[in-house]
Structure formats: C-alpha cells, structure tokens
Amino acid sequence: MGTHERWTRLLEVLGDRGRIEVVEAAELLGVSTATVRRDMEELAQQQLLTRTRGGAVVSGVAYDLPLRYKTARQADEKRRIARAAAGLVPPGAVVGLNGGTTTSEVARELASRADLAEHEHGTALTIVTNAINIAHELAVRPYVKTVVTGGVARPNSYELTGPLATMVLQGLSLDFAILGVNALDPRFGATTHDEGEASANRAMAERAEKVIVVADSTKLGKRAFARVCAVEEISVLVTDKDAPDELVEQYAGLGVNVLCV
C-alpha cells in the first residue's frame, strides 16, 4: 500500500469513526506503528487531522477530503464510468465539466479520443469548466477549446465558485453538463458537500440540454449538504455494476437512463 493510498484509507476511517488509535490504525493498514505515527504527523501538519495522545481525531475537513487524496477511491470504477460518459459526447459538442476525480477522468478520456485528436477543421470539442486542474490538462490540446469560469478557487476540489462562476455559466449554452457529485438520493437529488460548488454546478446543469451525472455506486442512495439538481433533471446516470438494483429501478422510474459499467 503506497503512501497516498494509506493516507486516504486513514482519513476515510477517521471520517467514519471520528477517532482512531495508532495501534488500531497499524493493524488496519498492515504497517508498523512507527509508520502510522509518521503518517499522522504529516496529515496533522496539513490540517487534515488532529493528533491526540496515542492516536488522532477527525478535523473539520476530514469529511470532504482534498481531491489529491480521493484518487485512490474506486479508481477502476471511475475510469470505466469516465470512459462510458466520454463516449456519449459527439464531436463538436459544448460540454460543461465540474470538478472532482471522476470528471477529471472524463476530461482525460475526452482529450485522448482519436476521433477528436484527428479532427481537421479547428475545434473538435468545447469544454466549459470551473475546475482549474481540468483546464490545466485540456489547455495543451489544440483541438479542444477550453473555457474557464471566473471565481474563487476552493482548495479541496480545485473548483472555482462564487458569483463570478455563476454569472459566466448563466451566459452560456451547453449541449451536455457532465457532473460529479458527492451523493445521489432518489428523493433529494444530486448533492455536494459545499454550497458554493452546488451553486456553480446548478448553474451548469440549468444551461445544459442534457445532464449526465457520473457517480460510483458508493455515492448512490446518500445525501450531502447542498442540492445541485433533482433526479428528474438528470438525463443519464453513469455508475458501476455494484449499483443496487432497487436504486437503479428508482432512478429509472424517475426518467433517468442508468448505465452500469
């Protein structure tokens, strides 16, 4: 288990339990207590947990991990989801992408599509994003027109939020909005932890002809703090094969085309 994978697992357990002892963490991770202590000290310096005598307790940001610590979660599922979602986009489309690990994978899949790279007549695809990491990756692709909203960068997700982001999005027309979310509940809809992100993502969804939500099965049937959109506003949900049948049926009953990949 690599360092970042170990840190991610440790932070996930802290998010669930609220506290953990060094010995317990060492057994869970299969490493020495000395390694766990070093890990805890490093994460404490990054303000991701609070050290205690003999262990650590959750800090204020542990429930919403920075993007760089989320990449190991459901990695294979996210790549399959991203590939399927990218395949729904025809050349010439205008696509909105919000921030997150799964949408970052979608951006990479779109950027590496041969039919787009071989496009001979100018722009093959227009990407509108409020995620600075996605913009950074796409800006070097000459066949992709990359449009970035303004706003204030949120460190956990690299998303630009606030009135500037919303104002720019409200003046655009999108063919697709491909959205990553923290949770998707049949009754409460698509949600995220941060209200600023939710506002920008909502503006993106409202300006799109079709809304595609990309979410692995661990996010289904759950709720987060701030609502992005109702389930009925989602055209397609791309998730993995572990999605519970009863939830898939509920989403489908609300008019969503569910793709389990």
Side-chain angles (χ1 to χ4, degrees):
M1 185 181 292
T3 301
H4 280 275
E5 186 179 356
R6 202 168 60 241
W7 289 358
T8 298
R9 181 63 181 139
L10 182 58
L11 290 169
E12 285 178 339
V13 172
L14 266 178
D16 291 337
R17 303 182 187 179
R19 67 181 304 115
I20 193 168
E21 301 299 316
V22 169
V23 174
E24 181 184 11
E27 293 176 355
L28 180 68
L29 300 172
V31 296
S32 68
T33 55
T35 297
V36 170
R37 288 192 182 93
R38 286 195 298 270
D39 287 345
M40 287 183 174
E41 291 296 337
E42 178 62 33
L43 292 169
Q45 288 179 17
Q46 297 183 45
Q47 308 300 314
L48 293 172
L49 57 76
T50 301
R51 286 287 273 125
T52 63
R53 184 176 182 133
V57 296
V58 69
S59 73
V61 298
Y63 77 97
D64 187 15
L65 301 180
L67 192 68
R68 64 186 180 277
Y69 295 123
K70 295 181 181 179
T71 53
R73 290 175 161 181
Q74 309 292 114
D76 291 338
E77 291 84 352
K78 289 177 180 179
R79 280 191 287 270
R80 293 199 305 271
I81 290 168
R83 193 172 302 118
L88 299 175
V89 177
V94 180
V95 183
L97 282 176
N98 69 343
T101 52
T102 310
T103 48
S104 294
E105 289 291 343
V106 172
R108 295 182 189 112
E109 290 290 338
L110 287 170
S112 62
R113 269 178 45 179
D115 61 327
L116 299 179
E118 295 168 0
H119 192 79
E120 297 178 354
H121 305 290
T123 300
L125 192 69
T126 299
I127 298 292
V128 178
T129 186
N130 67 325
I132 54 179
N133 65 309
I134 289 176
H136 174 74
E137 290 198 31
L138 294 179
V140 298
R141 308 283 183 170
Y143 46 88
V144 178
K145 179 180 179 180
T146 305
V147 180
V148 186
T149 71
V152 179
R154 187 166 182 267
N156 277 29
S157 65
Y158 306 142
E159 284 192 72
L160 299 169
T161 63
L164 282 174
T166 304
M167 180 178 65
V168 169
L169 290 166
Q170 287 175 340
L172 302 177
S173 178
L174 310 175
D175 296 312
F176 301 90
I178 301 180
L179 304 178
V181 298
N182 293 120
L184 182 63
D185 179 80
R187 290 177 297 174
F188 198 69
T191 53
T192 187
H193 290 307
D194 182 77
E195 66 277 11
E197 287 183 10
S199 179
N201 298 345
R202 188 181 309 116
M204 194 176 289
E206 290 172 350
R207 303 307 301 165
E209 184 70 24
K210 288 187 177 181
V211 175
I212 300 172
V213 167
V214 288
D216 65 71
S217 57
T218 65
K219 298 177 179 179
L220 304 184
K222 298 180 180 179
R223 293 170 58 171
F225 175 64
R227 193 186 203 202
V228 175
C229 65
V231 171
E232 292 86 347
E233 298 172 53
I234 299 169
S235 300
V236 182
L237 166 63
V238 187
T239 187
D240 60 74
K241 294 179 180 178
D242 290 330
D245 291 339
E246 61 273 18
L247 283 175
V248 170
E249 291 174 5
Q250 288 185 60
Y251 298 133
L254 294 167
V256 180
N257 180 18
V258 183
L259 303 180
C260 298
V261 297

